[in-house]
Amino acid sequence: MELYIDTANLDEIKQAADLGVLDGVTTNPSLIAKEKYDYTKRLEEICAIVKGPVSAEVIATDYAGMMKEGRERAKIAPQIVVKLPSTVDGLKACKAFSDEGVRTNLTLVFQPLQAMMVAKAGAYLVSPFIGRLDDVAEDGMVLIQQIRTIYDNYGYKTKLLAASVRHLKHMTDCALAGADVATVPFSVIKQMMNHPLTDSGLKKFVEDYKKAFGG
Ligand code: G3P
């Protein structure tokens, strides 16, 4: 399973990249707004750190605007993936970019047919938002399972990227459901190697050894 970090914060990206197992980055307009920093410059800085796919979202919501902004974003670095909303205009832009050989990430997916349509249009990544479905008393994991089944039924090559991942249970469930990628906030990445029994077990190993041999 590929692991992306979901942030535009450079310090978090550096720390995650230092772990040696980071495959890519996703950003969105809200994450960029939090940084209060120029989007293009920040994308350049991110691409200097992470060589894997870096999703850069358009702000425009109409087809022509998405094509213009997407082309500008794609010029920033070869690893840029143009992130588009899963609307009718986004679908058309997805098809146009995929015909031009530009990779896309279709975001804000909340039902399985959006995922099927964008796969038909040649999306490189599809981003179902599991946490936000849970927030409105739906089950985000069901959407991941449905998309996995549809993509496997028809052999769609679009990578299933679980987004809006909020906690470790989401991560485990996504891995079990066969999500190709998960994009995860740094706060969750930091917890992924944690277990209290690992800490207490390690403490005891060291104490036992020192009792027997000193040091
Ligand atoms: O980047 C898109 C997605 O991961 C957002 O997550 O937590 O704002 O629902 P969240």
Side-chain angles (χ1 to χ4, degrees):
M1 186 186 201
E2 289 178 66
L3 176 67
Y4 292 4
I5 187 167
D6 194 28
T7 186
N9 183 280
L10 220 51
D11 189 46
E12 291 183 347
I13 292 168
K14 279 183 193 152
Q15 287 186 59
D18 276 350
L19 298 175
V21 293
L22 186 72
D23 299 296
V25 180
T26 52
T27 61
N28 66 39
S30 304
L31 293 171
I32 281 289
K34 263 210 292 203
E35 296 297 305
K36 299 193 183 350
Y37 195 78
D38 181 80
Y39 201 174
T40 303
K41 276 194 206 136
R42 179 48 49 92
L43 288 168
E44 286 168 356
E45 290 167 349
I46 295 171
C47 291
I49 299 167
V50 177
K51 293 302 155 209
V54 174
S55 288
E57 191 156 342
V58 297
I59 310 294
T61 56
D62 64 297
Y63 170 78
M66 287 185 210
M67 292 304 296
K68 183 173 175 292
E69 274 181 39
R71 287 196 178 107
E72 283 161 10
R73 303 252 195 274
K75 272 191 231 148
I76 294 172
Q79 70 264 49
I80 290 285
V81 174
V82 176
K83 200 170 176 190
L84 302 164
S86 298
T87 58
V88 169
D89 281 41
L91 180 74
K92 290 181 189 169
C94 173
K95 178 72 173 92
F97 278 124
S98 108
D99 287 348
E100 289 178 13
V102 173
R103 294 183 298 177
T104 54
N105 175 359
L106 272 286
T107 191
L108 291 166
V109 165
F110 291 98
Q111 53 101 337
L113 296 179
Q114 289 175 302
M116 189 178 83
M117 295 292 272
V118 306
K120 287 174 69 63
Y124 174 68
L125 293 162
V126 65
S127 293
F129 278 31
I130 53 180
R132 291 193 195 184
L133 280 171
D134 292 356
D135 289 345
V136 294
E138 290 194 42
D139 187 345
M141 281 314 304
V142 170
L143 179 59
I144 299 292
Q145 290 152 5
Q146 288 173 329
I147 298 172
R148 183 72 280 153
T149 300
I150 291 169
Y151 281 12
D152 290 348
N153 282 349
Y154 298 102
Y156 292 130
K157 296 285 174 255
T158 301
K159 289 189 188 196
L160 172 46
L161 183 163
S164 189
V165 168
R166 302 275 176 78
H167 48 69
L168 294 181
K169 173 120 174 63
H170 274 156
M171 270 311 286
T172 305
D173 290 346
C174 284
L176 290 170
D180 299 298
V181 191
T183 190
V184 188
F186 187 54
S187 56
V188 177
I189 292 181
K190 279 195 291 190
Q191 297 169 49
M192 283 173 66
M193 283 296 289
N194 286 359
H195 196 285
L197 291 179
T198 306
D199 297 338
S200 58
L202 181 60
K203 192 165 170 274
K204 182 142 186 7
F205 283 160
V206 174
E207 279 168 4
D208 288 348
Y209 187 89
K210 282 183 179 168
K211 249 186 252 162
F213 301 107

